[in-house]
Amino acid sequence: MNSAGSNTRAPGTAPAWSSWYLTMPKLAVGLLVILLVALLWLLQDNEKEEQRATLIADVLWLEQSFRFHLENNTVQLQQLALDLGHADASDKLFDTRVRHLIRTNPELVQVAWLDNDGVTREALPSHISPRRGAGSERGRGEDSFELARKLGKPIFSRTYLSQDEAFFELYVPLYRGDQLAGMFVATHSLHSLVGQMVPWWFVEKYRLQVLDDDGKVLTAKSKLDPGPAALTHQVALDPPGYGLTLQATANRVVTSTAQNLIMTLIIFLAGAVFWSLWAIRGLMRHRLAAEQALRSEHAFRKAMEDSLTVGMRARDREGRITYVNPAFCELTGFAADELIGALPPYPYWDPEQLERTREMHEKVLDGLAPSEGFEIHGRRKDGRYFDALVYEAPLIDADGRHTGWMGSVLDITEKKRAEELARQQEEKLQATSRLVTMGEMASTLAHELNQPLGAISSYNAGCLNRLESGNYTPEELRAVLEKLGVQAQRAGRIIRRVHDFVRKREPVLAECDLAELVDDAIGFIEHLAQKRHVRIARELPGWRPPLLADQVMVEQVLLNLMRNAIEAMGDTPPELRRLVVRVTQNEREVEVRVIDNGSGIADAVRERLFTPFFSTKPDGMGMGLNICRSIIEFHKGRLWVEANPAGGSIFAFTLPFAP
């Protein structure tokens, strides 16, 4: 009584664990909100760092562009100095080259040619008065002039202001021989240089300023609206140097409205979750009573399922196993906890038939499972294999929704083993009966040898008669003996060809002539064609590149195809029985077509034509075409069959040319 009373709970009261069950989600939601806020802050900080790295890379790229451009101007003026240093150089060269230089470099205000005393000899454009002669700029220009004279190399001057615009000069000495013959002075406008070299995308992102060594802004360029500056980076502008720096400033990254909205929504949703959890608390009591009733029902249903000898397996719409009964576990050898929750490929699937089993699995999930059931081949946990017959049915829940599939699995391993044993016995009997047909080659050999042996006998008798009569000449006997030798060689070739045809050997790839190969195959089967009143025609191109093939194996393919074609014309009127061996070629391969006008091949038969042990002949072995396809594929070719528009069939195969 006490024990029963201790387990009794008043209706409508929640168990002690339910309060913890609801508290944990609240803590999780609170922690999630904190983490999301931290994530947004980290994202904003990361965005600032990325902006800083981009700013530094852009400023370094711009500084490099300035340096390369000024160095290019220096190189062009040095080249001009070298060209004018020759004794035969004219002033016209200076005029031509400088005009081109100023036209392609807008920042060049003027290029002047000074003599050794610093007096202007020529200047372009000539209408602009030199700025070097004013005040302190004169002293700076003379210092740069003297420094370039002493060092003998190009020198940039300090930046100076004229009419509120910054300029700097480039001094390039001109030598004739080893003597200084003058100086080129290229005046650069810093404002024009910045306007030319700074691309549009740079000023869209940053405010660019050029500062002197005192921090004074000499020139600037930007399309950026003034705002709170957060990121600034500067690099030295050398050349021209003398404390000049490039400074780029990016506006501060402002928190977007979307981020603020997301933050507000997160806090709002967190409050909604807390409220919903509180509301769920009242529903938990009603649900617990319903769960108790379900436990009783589940126990009753489980007792029924455990008593079944048929394996039961349930899967959801994604293929995940949701239930197995003990009979299914016994069939597969896996425990229930090893199978429930598993997704394809399941552990009891046969690894050698994964694709086939997966294909059937997809059909079941698509609702295309056959109503009569289907077979699967599986592997138990201990490595033994089993066969099972599976019936699938939709799994419908209480609301009428299709939630998955319920399968009934029957073990048919022993039944399949008995069927396989019977099939193997039948195949052995069929193979034994097929071996009897190999005796047909004897008649072929006898007929082939009859012609050359008969010719040898005739030539021999003729020679003996001539010798006995004494009426002969050596030339006549030599001609007869040569023909006799040819027939003997022909008989030897027939015996060797038949021997090579039937003996087991490794394939040998060698260059061979396709015309000779076709002629040998036709000669081998010509007696059968004459017996069946079949005319054989060969259509070969005039020039044929050599093939890299095993001649005996390809002859075997041709012989088998021609023999099948002759037999297929058994019901064709004799006057229409015509076998054509047609050879065509393209750039890479040759195509051989064996064409007959027999009864043709039905579509259902054509699908199984190259299957081992399938034959349309009552006494056929069913291996000829399968062997032919293997031979052609060994030679990197293809073998197929198609219908002849004029009636009959066309067997075609391709062979690649020898490299």
Side-chain angles (χ1 to χ4, degrees):
M1 294 294 294
N2 293 336
S3 176
S6 63
N7 294 331
T8 304
R9 187 170 57 248
T13 61
W17 57 265
S18 64
S19 60
W20 290 102
Y21 181 78
L22 293 176
T23 302
M24 294 302 295
K26 295 178 184 178
L27 294 177
V29 172
L31 181 61
L32 177 62
V33 172
I34 295 174
L35 292 177
L36 288 175
V37 173
L39 178 61
L40 290 175
W41 180 81
L42 289 175
L43 289 176
Q44 185 176 2
D45 185 69
N46 185 57
E47 185 177 355
K48 291 181 181 178
E49 290 300 325
E50 290 182 357
Q51 187 181 19
R52 180 183 299 277
T54 304
L55 170 63
I56 293 173
D58 291 343
V59 172
L60 291 176
W61 173 85
L62 185 62
E63 183 272 336
Q64 188 180 40
S65 299
F66 272 98
R67 178 157 45 86
F68 285 167
H69 185 75
L70 293 177
E71 288 178 354
N72 182 59
N73 289 349
T74 304
V75 169
Q76 293 191 54
L77 288 174
Q78 285 181 307
Q79 185 62 45
L80 178 59
L82 290 174
D83 295 341
L84 291 176
H86 299 294
D88 56 349
S90 64
D91 294 347
K92 186 177 181 181
L93 177 62
F94 173 83
D95 183 84
T96 303
R97 297 275 285 277
V98 170
R99 287 183 185 277
H100 173 74
L101 186 63
I102 293 176
R103 184 168 58 253
T104 56
N105 298 275
E107 76 278 3
L108 287 177
V109 177
Q110 186 183 56
V111 178
W113 182 0
L114 309 182
D115 59 15
N116 288 338
D117 298 328
V119 179
T120 302
R121 175 178 175 178
E122 188 173 353
L124 290 174
S126 58
H127 64 277
I128 298 178
S129 60
R131 294 180 173 87
R132 299 175 55 256
S136 60
E137 287 74 16
R138 172 187 293 273
R140 295 178 182 178
E142 293 175 354
D143 292 343
S144 301
F145 185 93
E146 293 299 328
L147 184 60
R149 181 203 300 269
K150 292 178 180 180
L151 297 179
K153 65 178 183 178
I155 295 296
F156 283 92
S157 72
R158 299 181 65 88
T159 305
Y160 60 90
L161 295 177
S162 178
Q163 298 179 0
D164 296 329
E165 185 175 352
F167 298 89
F168 63 90
E169 297 172 340
L170 171 62
Y171 290 81
V172 179
L174 183 147
Y175 286 90
R176 286 183 177 172
D178 295 334
Q179 299 296 322
L180 181 68
M183 188 76 64
F184 289 149
V185 181
T187 305
H188 295 71
S189 170
L190 189 59
H191 179 75
S192 299
L193 180 63
V194 171
Q196 177 190 3
M197 297 301 300
V198 180
W200 64 269
W201 58 266
F202 193 94
V203 296
E204 293 284 349
K205 297 168 60 176
Y206 313 110
R207 295 197 306 274
L208 180 69
Q209 296 176 327
V210 181
L211 309 178
D212 60 10
D213 51 358
D214 296 329
K216 181 180 178 182
V217 178
L218 299 179
T219 185
K221 183 177 182 181
S222 176
K223 291 185 179 180
L224 198 64
D225 295 332
L231 300 176
T232 301
H233 186 73
Q234 64 183 25
V235 295
L237 185 59
D238 187 13
Y242 301 105
L244 290 183
T245 58
L246 285 175
Q247 184 184 74
T249 304
N251 283 354
R252 180 178 303 167
V253 178
V254 181
T255 304
S256 64
T257 305
Q259 291 180 346
N260 295 330
L261 179 60
I262 291 174
M263 183 72 67
T264 304
L265 289 176
I266 289 174
I267 297 174
F268 174 76
L269 290 176
V273 170
F274 281 113
W275 178 84
S276 62
L277 290 174
W278 185 263
I280 290 174
R281 183 181 182 185
L283 301 175
M284 289 293 294
R285 299 176 179 179
H286 301 285
R287 184 171 183 177
L288 288 173
E291 287 181 354
Q292 184 61 34
L294 288 175
R295 289 192 192 97
S296 301
E297 182 66 23
H298 174 72
F300 178 74
R301 180 176 61 85
K302 190 174 188 312
M304 294 181 59
E305 293 171 352
D306 292 347
S307 64
L308 294 176
T309 59
V310 177
M312 303 294 294
R313 175 199 61 193
R315 295 181 292 180
D316 60 14
R317 298 292 295 274
E318 296 179 357
R320 184 181 289 103
I321 296 178
T322 58
Y323 168 78
V324 290
N325 70 341
F328 188 84
C329 295
E330 183 179 357
L331 172 64
T332 60
F334 290 91
D337 56 355
E338 295 178 295
L339 295 176
I340 294 178
L343 287 168
Y346 302 130
Y348 56 84
W349 280 6
D350 184 2
E352 297 180 358
Q353 298 187 12
L354 281 181
E355 293 300 326
R356 176 181 175 277
T357 310
R358 186 184 293 275
E359 181 180 353
M360 183 55 67
H361 166 79
E362 296 294 337
K363 288 184 178 180
V364 172
L365 295 185
D366 294 338
L368 302 177
S371 58
E372 67 277 7
F374 59 91
E375 294 183 7
I376 64 169
H377 189 69
R379 187 173 68 175
R380 294 186 174 92
K381 188 175 182 179
D382 58 6
R384 293 182 300 159
Y385 291 91
F386 69 91
D387 293 286
L389 181 62
V390 183
Y391 296 91
E392 295 282 355
L395 192 60
I396 309 300
D397 64 3
D399 297 328
R401 294 177 302 178
H402 180 202
T403 60
W405 300 91
M406 175 62 74
S408 301
V409 185
L410 303 177
D411 187 2
I412 58 172
T413 305
E414 295 301 326
K415 178 183 176 182
K416 294 286 290 184
R417 185 176 290 113
E419 292 177 354
E420 179 66 16
L421 182 60
R423 186 187 63 82
Q424 291 177 0
Q425 294 295 335
E426 184 179 357
E427 285 184 355
K428 290 181 180 179
L429 293 176
Q430 292 176 357
T432 302
S433 64
R434 289 179 184 129
L435 290 175
V436 178
T437 60
M438 294 295 293
E440 295 179 2
M441 294 296 297
S443 62
T444 301
L445 177 62
H447 185 88
E448 283 291 310
L449 288 175
N450 185 48
Q451 292 183 358
L453 292 178
I456 291 173
S457 177
S458 299
Y459 290 142
N460 183 59
C463 289
L464 291 176
N465 293 334
R466 285 296 182 95
L467 290 173
E468 291 178 357
S469 65
N471 185 17
Y472 64 90
T473 62
E475 289 75 13
E476 292 178 343
L477 289 181
R478 183 182 294 106
V480 174
L481 291 176
E482 287 177 354
K483 294 180 180 180
L484 188 147
V486 169
Q487 294 299 323
Q489 291 177 0
R490 179 185 175 188
R493 284 198 305 270
I494 293 173
I495 295 175
R496 184 173 60 255
R497 186 168 69 239
V498 174
H499 178 263
D500 292 340
F501 195 77
V502 298
R503 73 184 176 95
K504 183 178 180 180
R505 64 182 183 85
E506 293 295 327
V508 178
L509 297 180
E511 289 190 2
C512 59
D513 184 8
L514 184 59
E516 180 181 349
L517 191 149
V518 172
D519 290 340
D520 287 346
I522 292 176
F524 201 50
I525 204 170
E526 193 171 11
H527 74 284
L528 180 61
Q530 294 174 356
K531 183 179 179 180
R532 300 289 183 91
H533 305 288
V534 175
R535 291 173 291 115
I536 300 178
R538 52 191 291 274
E539 299 178 4
L540 300 176
W543 178 81
R544 298 169 300 278
L547 297 177
L548 188 64
D550 187 304
Q551 183 166 346
V552 174
M553 295 178 70
V554 178
E555 280 185 17
Q556 180 181 354
V557 173
L558 263 177
L559 183 61
N560 197 359
L561 296 181
M562 289 192 295
R563 182 175 180 179
N564 291 343
I566 292 172
E567 293 177 353
M569 291 186 287
D571 297 333
T572 304
E575 64 274 8
L576 300 178
R577 296 176 187 175
R578 186 170 184 265
L579 173 63
V580 179
V581 180
R582 180 178 299 160
V583 178
T584 58
Q585 63 188 45
N586 53 33
E587 296 180 356
R588 298 183 178 180
E589 61 184 11
V590 63
E591 180 179 305
V592 181
R593 305 172 74 87
V594 179
I595 307 171
D596 66 71
N597 51 4
S599 56
I601 302 174
D603 293 338
V605 174
R606 189 177 302 166
E607 297 177 356
R608 303 178 55 193
L609 202 56
F610 296 97
T611 305
F613 299 114
F614 175 79
S615 177
T616 58
K617 306 173 187 177
D619 55 349
M621 293 180 61
M623 290 298 295
L625 290 178
N626 182 263
I627 294 175
C628 291
R629 171 168 281 185
S630 300
I631 292 174
I632 296 302
E633 290 177 352
F634 169 78
H635 286 80
K636 311 299 183 186
R638 298 178 297 113
L639 172 64
W640 71 95
V641 62
E642 57 189 45
N644 186 359
S649 302
I650 301 175
F651 282 83
F653 62 89
T654 60
L655 294 172
F657 291 132

